[in-house]
Amino acid sequence: MTSLPVFETERLILRAVQQSDAAAYEKHFVDYSVIGELAAKVPWPYPKDGVAQFLQTQIIPRQGNNRWVWGIFLKENLAELIGCVDLWRDGRPENRGFWLGKAFWGNGYMSEAVMPVMDYAFAHLGFERLVFSNAVGNIRSRRVKEKSGARLIGTRPAKFVNPAYTEAETWELTKSEWQARVRGGK
Ligand SMILES: CC(C)(COP(=O)(O)OP(=O)(O)OC[C@H]1O[C@@H](n2cnc3c(N)ncnc32)[C@H](O)[C@@H]1OP(=O)(O)O)[C@@H](O)C(=O)NCCC(=O)NCCS
């Protein structure tokens, strides 16, 4: 396990998710408003103790080994994880996922949280491009991508926990596009 850097933005701290975050993770994640937007491989109803198991078996042992999962914390409450940004090397085709507890939506937190993660992916992890994905109809997630300069490259049939979603849209952002954007101060 390699250690992940801690990121500080205007309002947030991002640091590696730890087993001790399981209770806060469960509190904010196990909610159909959040899980309904995710790929159908995520179980619903979500199993009891599923979060603790997931962190213990899938996340903590792999941190920094072609997978990086940061917990998101408000600066005024560093004890409570309110969401995550998840980055992985192998495109499925996408390389990133994210979620935020519903109580915190609509404040621009995710748009703020993804910035240092993209910077790190391009500047330190050697990514030449990042691919993102969301359900067609998940406007909030789409906006986070649009605002970071990603380009929509297509749609494909896909299954999500919410069966009303039948298609995914795919987005791309290259390292040179990102660098031009950062240099341009956008
Ligand atoms: C997607 C998610 C992370 C967004 O987090 P967030 O912090 O609320 O995002 P932001 O506030 O940074 O941006 C959301 C954007 O959606 C817009 N938005 C919010 N509700 C909207 C609606 N009903 N219709 C249109 N736009 C909407 C916001 O106005 C904002 O755009 P703006 O800055 O141009 O105004 C959060 O909603 C979430 O966790 N959803 C459930 C899980 C999920 O969808 N994960 C991603 C799977 S691909």
Side-chain angles (χ1 to χ4, degrees), residues 92-94 129-136 145 150-156 167-172:
R92 306 173 190 164
E94 71 274 17
R129 70 196 274 264
L130 287 171
V131 175
F132 310 127
S133 188
N134 56 264
V136 173
K145 283 132 186 156
R151 271 175 298 106
L152 183 63
I153 56 174
T155 58
R156 62 183 196 281
E167 283 187 303
E169 47 193 21
T170 308
W171 303 78
E172 181 183 63

Side-chain angles (χ1 to χ4, degrees), residues 19-164:
Q19 197 66 36
S20 54
D21 296 317
Y25 193 121
E26 182 166 339
K27 172 178 162 191
H28 296 300
F29 177 72
V30 183
D31 173 351
Y32 191 74
S33 305
V34 173
I35 294 180
E37 306 294 325
L38 305 182
K41 66 178 182 194
V42 180
W44 187 265
Y46 202 80
K48 194 172 172 320
D49 294 332
V51 166
Q53 289 264 357
F54 175 68
L55 293 181
Q56 192 179 357
T57 62
Q58 306 295 316
I59 302 300
I60 311 292
R62 296 183 187 168
Q63 281 284 45
N65 182 16
N66 293 322
R67 186 165 190 181
W68 303 265
V69 187
W70 283 271
I72 302 171
F73 300 81
L74 296 176
K75 280 186 182 171
E76 63 260 28
N77 185 5
L78 295 177
E80 185 173 344
L81 176 148
I82 62 164
C84 282
V85 182
D86 187 349
L87 182 72
W88 55 86
R89 181 84 64 188
D90 295 339
R92 306 173 190 164
E94 71 274 17
N95 305 105
R96 186 189 69 191
F98 50 55
W99 65 269
L100 194 67
K102 191 173 184 188
F104 305 96
W105 293 4
N107 297 297
Y109 289 142
M110 193 54 77
S111 300
E112 197 171 313
V114 296
M115 301 303 266
V117 173
M118 289 190 289
D119 249 343
Y120 187 68
F122 289 128
H124 296 281
L125 298 177
F127 282 85
E128 288 298 322
R129 70 196 274 264
L130 287 171
V131 175
F132 310 127
S133 188
N134 56 264
V136 173
N138 186 348
I139 310 288
R140 293 177 179 85
S141 181
R142 166 180 247 270
R143 282 295 296 143
V144 174
K145 283 132 186 156
E146 281 178 336
K147 285 190 282 180
S148 70
R151 271 175 298 106
L152 183 63
I153 56 174
T155 58
R156 62 183 196 281
K159 291 193 169 143
F160 292 85
V161 173
N162 180 345

